[in-house]
Amino acid sequence: GTEESIDWESHGKAMKAFGARKHWVTKHFSGWAGSGVNMHRWGYRSTPECPRCKEPESTLHVLQCIDNNKMILNSPTGV
């Protein structure tokens, strides 16, 4: 099964390296992060667009948008 194919030791080391960001990383890469698209889907935003560039803000967009990358990299929490 899937569980047996996961290298849990490496997974643990990788998650430990993320430190305080591990929850953000897990939610982001599983597609459950609070991106504009998800917040719109869940009824918390009136539009799914990125507040900086106005493109649909998916979890992938969060990493690719130049303005969002500046925000993430300059954020004190890194998220």
Side-chain angles (χ1 to χ4, degrees), residues 47-78:
T47 176
E49 68 186 29
C50 173
R52 290 151 194 87
C53 73
K54 308 304 180 206
E55 292 292 320
E57 187 188 48
S58 65
T59 52
L60 180 60
H61 177 82
V62 170
L63 297 177
Q64 293 179 335
C65 179
I66 293 170
D67 290 331
N68 277 350
N69 283 335
K70 288 179 184 175
M71 179 199 66
I72 290 169
L73 295 174
N74 292 325
S75 168
T77 60

Side-chain angles (χ1 to χ4, degrees), residues 10-73:
S10 295
H11 176 269
K13 289 178 183 178
M15 292 307 288
K16 187 175 181 179
F18 282 115
R21 295 183 188 182
K22 69 182 169 187
H23 291 110
W24 181 86
V25 169
T26 301
K27 289 171 71 175
H28 184 83
F29 288 105
S30 67
W32 288 97
S35 66
V37 170
N38 283 339
M39 297 297 279
H40 179 69
R41 179 183 303 131
W42 299 329
Y44 292 105
R45 281 195 191 173
S46 60
T47 176
E49 68 186 29
C50 173
R52 290 151 194 87
C53 73
K54 308 304 180 206
E55 292 292 320
E57 187 188 48
S58 65
T59 52
L60 180 60
H61 177 82
V62 170
L63 297 177
Q64 293 179 335
C65 179
I66 293 170
D67 290 331
N68 277 350
N69 283 335
K70 288 179 184 175
M71 179 199 66
I72 290 169
L73 295 174

